[in-house]
Amino acid sequence: MTPAELEAARGRLVPDVVADGLRVLFCGINPGLMTAATGHHFARPGNRFWPALHASGFTPRRLDPSEQSELVRYGLGITNVVARASARADELSDEEYREGGRILEEKVLRLRPRWLAVAGVTAYRVAFGDKKAKIGPQPRTIGETRIWALPNPSGLNAHWTLPAMAEEYGRLRAAAGADDQTDAGADG
């Protein structure tokens, strides 16, 4: 993909991968330019979302971003706090995060996932006005949906290694009761 093609993707929207009643709805900060250009979430090669998802046992094999629609059969989905694509998350304003949090709350109330997993604790803090949030389960709920703040899987978040990230994703997987359903999905 050329720099011009990536730049042309700035501001594009990327459709969610969702269904009603998911076990976990993963929520990125916003689409990067590679994601917007390809239409596939977490598409940049250095992004560790797909490797962490597999290493934690959420999926029976490492999925390619182009296979994102397969997540639904494992009771998983993907959305974003802010819909607008940008090269970096620091291009977003606090107002965009807060508005994104309001829209995300409406989406969660409509779709009713068991867990909302926000991949970026800083984005969670701003979007939901919780300055003290830390990685892990949050006391707040949206309707019946519990919330978990995950480390941002971007390669720029270098202080989280892939094994540490997979361990945190695994904690969420255990909390979501994913063991039985993922294993059954892998056989079906």
Side-chain angles (χ1 to χ4, degrees):
M1 183 129 332
T2 69
E5 289 171 320
L6 288 175
E7 192 56 37
R10 187 177 294 277
R12 281 190 194 156
L13 303 179
V14 177
D16 292 339
V17 177
V18 296
D20 288 340
L22 295 168
R23 284 184 294 123
V24 180
L25 176 58
F26 289 95
C27 181
I29 297 170
N30 76 310
L33 297 183
M34 181 72 74
T35 288
T38 63
H40 303 129
H41 292 272
F42 301 106
R44 182 163 291 288
N47 193 291
R48 296 166 299 168
F49 176 78
W50 298 102
L53 205 63
H54 172 61
S56 66
F58 268 115
T59 60
R61 64 179 177 83
R62 182 175 167 181
L63 298 176
D64 185 79
S66 66
E67 298 174 295
Q68 65 187 14
S69 63
E70 289 189 33
L71 289 176
V72 175
R73 56 183 268 226
Y74 302 115
L76 309 173
I78 304 176
T79 190
N80 287 289
V81 175
V82 176
R84 174 178 77 85
S86 66
R88 295 178 49 109
D90 62 9
E91 295 176 26
L92 306 175
S93 70
D94 285 358
E95 181 54 38
E96 284 180 285
Y97 279 113
R98 286 189 293 272
E99 177 65 9
R102 187 190 65 70
I103 292 167
L104 182 58
E105 191 166 327
E106 290 173 0
K107 191 178 298 184
V108 167
L109 287 170
R110 187 178 75 251
L111 295 172
R112 300 173 330 277
R114 200 177 312 163
W115 285 89
L116 171 66
V118 181
V121 70
T122 302
Y124 173 79
R125 288 175 185 148
V126 178
F128 292 101
D130 184 353
K131 294 177 178 158
K132 296 181 180 180
K134 298 194 179 334
I135 297 293
Q138 305 302 307
R140 174 193 179 111
T141 61
I142 300 173
E144 298 294 314
T145 300
R146 304 237 6 238
I147 302 172
W148 196 290
L150 290 169
N152 180 345
S154 167
L156 298 174
N157 187 10
H159 68 273
W160 274 88
T161 64
L162 178 57
M165 196 172 291
E167 184 177 327
E168 189 61 29
Y169 278 56
R171 288 181 58 218
L172 168 61
R173 179 177 174 248
D179 293 335
D180 296 338
Q181 293 189 24
T182 297
D183 294 340
D187 294 336

